[in-house]
Amino acid sequence: MDVTQATGSSRFRRVHEVITPWIGSHPDSVAVEDSRHRLTYQDLDEAVQAAARQLRELGVRPGDRVLLVAENCAALAVLVLAASACDAWAVVANARLSPREIDNFIAHSGARRVLYAADVSPEALAHAQRAGAATRAWLHVGELAVGPLNECAVPEPVSHDAGGQVAAMIYTSGTSGRPKGVMLTHAGLLHIATLSRRLRGMGPGDRIYGVLPMAHVVGLSSQLVGSLFCGCTLQLAPRYAPEATAAALREGTTVLLGVPAMFAKLLEWCARTQTSLAGHSLRIIGTAGSPLTMDLKQAAEAAFGLPLQNGYGLTEMSPTVAQTLLDAPRQDCSVGPPVPGVEIRIVDPSGNDVASGNVGELWVRGPNIMKGYYRDEALTRAAINAEGWFNTGDMARQDSDGALFIVGRTKELIIRSGFNVYPVEVEQVLNGHPAIVQSAVVGRAADGNEEVIAFVELAAGVSVDRDELDAYLRQRLSPYKVPTEVRAMAQLPAAPTGKLLKHEIKRLAEKAPDVQQRLI
């Protein structure tokens, strides 16, 4: 029987309820595990209920925000679900953020309590010590540090309706670098969870490698809520390492989801260490979060012997907008058709629909759209119009078969000598060079014009000559698209997910290279 029929999202008002069917049918199946804890669905239910009681004892009320400073671990999964059971908002912050960033999140969210996974992450421990947090024991998941009560916190209104009640708030800077608190509803997260079964066919036999941080939307939504909705086993890893990923694949992992950079680094590590990926139990490999290149797609498919699925989404859409289909593998780098329930428009600068196949700005709407940006009604109104369309800021085109192609960001468009240069096109060519693991292309103002500046991360122990690289690029790009400057870095600035931080890279382009960068 289809799980979406037996446990359809309409049965649930809150995300913690997704484990309920499995407590009855698969109580002894492992739900969540990390390097120290292994919780069955029965254990997880007990841990969530006990944590919810403790949160209430700590003064957490319905409508309060609970900030969770952690990296992926079983305790974090329990606390996210426990916040749901309290009708509080889970605000997950990656422990590797700076004290300034954590303090900004605490102040902006008006968190009633801040909890720290101090025995899992040394960075979380440092934040906890700075805050004077006290350690407490939590059932099935060990100790967590609890910050002082914010007696000035004001609870937000609570809605019985899943579409009106916020389940989680994710802070995102997007391409602008300005942090925004994205309010995600229970209905939105539950809608995405149903797609894990409907489009990926996930179920109790699946083992998901959970390395995408729950402080980001894919890790929280598709990875955590989606896995539990389907009765899977979620193996949580605090941070990405190619060798750890390869080891997990030898332990029966069936679904591996990540950003392109994760697959690129895994393949580079395998080549360097002469490690084969043969003999795995995977049935799905998939990527999203940044553009996929044909070279990486083909290399990954050759290494795994599986089609590399692709998708597209945004934090504001909880996150999925489009996804390739398992029964219709693609030979291109499309992100697939819009997922069920999501509508799209591709429009010109005046908001009029463009002709089929033409490039325009992508607008989306659906049941998974955010409630808005917390404490910023003006920004919310600017992003979502009166008809409910969210302006993604991405440039896209749609083929006649319905497949979407993401061309680039509106704000990242480079206009060089009157010609449009989409960074993603240049990045795809650069990433196809055998010496380059990944790249980032940005624009830089220069005497009334814009220059194309590229940053590249080279494979370990490999160098490249600029004349040779120029010849390679000129064979594949129009002259105006060839970068004026190419800088090599040991590691490009990236979020914990592996997604490159374009706003930081753009700032680097405005400055002369330092010791961590060298011109090619």
Side-chain angles (χ1 to χ4, degrees):
M1 178 168 53
D2 190 331
V3 172
T4 57
Q5 295 174 358
T7 60
S9 62
S10 61
R11 279 191 58 186
F12 306 128
R13 288 192 312 107
R14 302 293 188 254
V15 295
H16 71 280
E17 296 171 359
V18 299
I19 68 173
T20 303
W22 308 113
I23 300 165
S25 64
H26 294 70
D28 298 324
S29 294
V30 177
V32 177
E33 65 180 22
D34 59 22
S35 61
R36 300 186 305 161
H37 302 287
R38 192 177 223 218
L39 278 64
T40 65
Y41 274 90
Q42 183 66 52
D43 294 335
L44 181 58
D45 178 53
E46 293 172 0
V48 169
Q49 297 306 322
R53 287 193 297 271
Q54 281 190 264
L55 289 177
R56 295 185 189 103
E57 291 169 3
L58 289 167
V60 173
R61 305 157 299 187
D64 276 333
R65 281 75 60 210
V66 179
L67 193 80
L68 309 172
V69 181
E71 295 184 73
N72 282 4
C73 59
L76 179 56
V78 167
L79 288 173
V80 168
L81 299 180
S84 167
C86 294
D87 264 337
W89 304 9
V91 186
V92 185
N94 195 294
R96 284 178 279 167
L97 294 175
S98 68
R100 177 189 61 82
E101 291 169 307
I102 295 294
D103 289 347
N104 285 344
F105 291 175
I106 294 172
H108 182 267
S109 67
R112 178 73 162 172
R113 285 282 189 182
V114 183
L115 278 69
Y116 307 83
D119 62 345
V120 175
S121 162
E123 291 85 356
L125 174 60
H127 288 302
Q129 291 173 336
R130 186 172 59 89
T135 301
R136 288 182 58 140
W138 299 72
L139 181 65
H140 290 308
V141 292
E143 295 185 338
L144 293 162
V146 181
L149 179 69
N150 177 7
E151 296 182 357
C152 297
V154 178
E156 296 292 339
V158 174
S159 172
H160 179 81
D161 177 50
Q165 178 63 24
V166 174
M169 186 159 66
I170 298 288
Y171 279 98
T172 175
S173 59
T175 57
S176 67
R178 175 187 177 187
K180 297 174 288 189
V182 181
M183 298 182 288
L184 302 178
T185 67
H186 288 271
L189 295 175
L190 289 168
H191 180 76
I192 297 303
T194 67
L195 300 179
S196 297
R197 174 62 185 176
R198 185 170 179 178
L199 299 183
R200 293 188 177 131
M202 285 164 48
D206 279 313
R207 182 178 176 87
I208 317 302
Y209 187 57
V211 71
L212 293 170
M214 283 188 271
H216 296 261
V217 68
V218 178
L220 179 69
S221 178
S222 301
Q223 185 175 273
L224 176 65
V225 182
S227 295
L228 297 178
F229 179 90
C230 296
C232 306
T233 295
L234 177 61
Q235 180 187 1
L236 289 167
R239 55 186 71 184
Y240 176 73
E243 57 271 27
T245 302
L249 299 185
R250 294 190 289 268
E251 297 172 359
T253 296
T254 63
V255 179
L256 176 63
L257 305 177
V259 296
M262 286 172 49
F263 285 94
K265 290 178 183 291
L266 177 60
L267 295 180
E268 189 273 334
W269 177 83
C270 287
R272 177 161 42 85
T273 60
Q274 298 185 325
T275 301
S276 171
L277 293 173
H280 60 73
S281 301
L282 288 166
R283 66 179 190 84
I284 299 175
I285 55 173
T287 185
S290 57
L292 174 65
T293 67
M294 183 57 71
D295 293 276
L296 178 57
K297 175 179 168 66
Q298 292 174 343
E301 291 178 344
F304 287 99
L306 290 169
L308 180 59
Q309 304 298 329
N310 198 13
Y312 164 78
L314 308 100
T315 304
E316 290 87 346
M317 290 295 288
S318 307
T320 313
V321 170
Q323 191 171 292
T324 56
L325 304 176
L326 294 185
D327 59 358
R330 298 194 65 89
Q331 304 305 310
D332 52 33
C333 290
S334 164
V335 296
V339 296
V342 171
E343 302 173 82
I344 70 163
R345 289 181 62 194
I346 299 177
V347 303
D348 62 21
S350 300
N352 300 312
D353 293 330
V354 302
S356 178
N358 286 1
V359 173
E361 195 166 57
L362 179 62
W363 292 5
V364 297
R365 68 179 179 186
N368 47 319
I369 197 167
M370 66 174 179
K371 188 172 183 178
Y373 298 113
Y374 190 49
R375 295 181 173 173
D376 203 330
E377 293 183 7
L379 188 62
T380 301
R381 287 194 300 270
I384 304 175
N385 70 16
E387 297 177 328
W389 290 103
F390 172 69
N391 183 347
T392 68
D394 285 320
M395 304 297 290
R397 63 178 174 84
Q398 187 174 30
D399 273 5
S400 56
D401 64 358
L404 275 177
F405 291 81
I406 306 302
V407 175
R409 293 285 300 172
T410 306
K411 294 179 181 178
E412 291 178 2
L413 176 67
I414 303 168
I415 302 177
R416 186 176 188 183
S417 302
F419 293 98
N420 290 348
V421 180
Y422 293 105
V424 64
E425 181 183 5
V426 184
E427 291 163 355
Q428 287 176 331
V429 172
L430 284 165
N431 293 349
H433 191 282
I436 296 174
V437 175
Q438 60 178 337
S439 64
V441 171
V442 296
R444 183 175 67 191
D447 299 325
N449 202 353
E450 276 193 287
E451 296 174 324
V452 180
I453 310 299
F455 289 76
V456 300
E457 187 175 316
L458 299 178
V462 176
S463 62
V464 62
D465 177 76
R466 180 59 196 261
D467 290 339
E468 183 272 327
L469 183 59
D470 270 352
Y472 170 86
L473 294 170
R474 290 184 185 281
Q475 288 177 357
R476 296 163 175 81
L477 293 170
S478 302
Y480 65 88
K481 297 178 183 178
V482 174
T484 304
E485 187 175 292
V486 180
R487 302 186 195 181
M489 298 181 68
Q491 188 169 3
L492 299 182
T497 59
K499 185 175 181 178
L500 297 178
L501 300 175
K502 280 292 189 75
H503 58 280
E504 288 191 18
I505 293 168
K506 191 168 180 65
R507 283 199 291 267
L508 292 176
E510 302 295 333
K511 302 176 181 179
D514 59 25
V515 293
Q516 294 184 342
Q517 309 164 41
R518 61 179 177 83
L519 294 175
I520 292 177

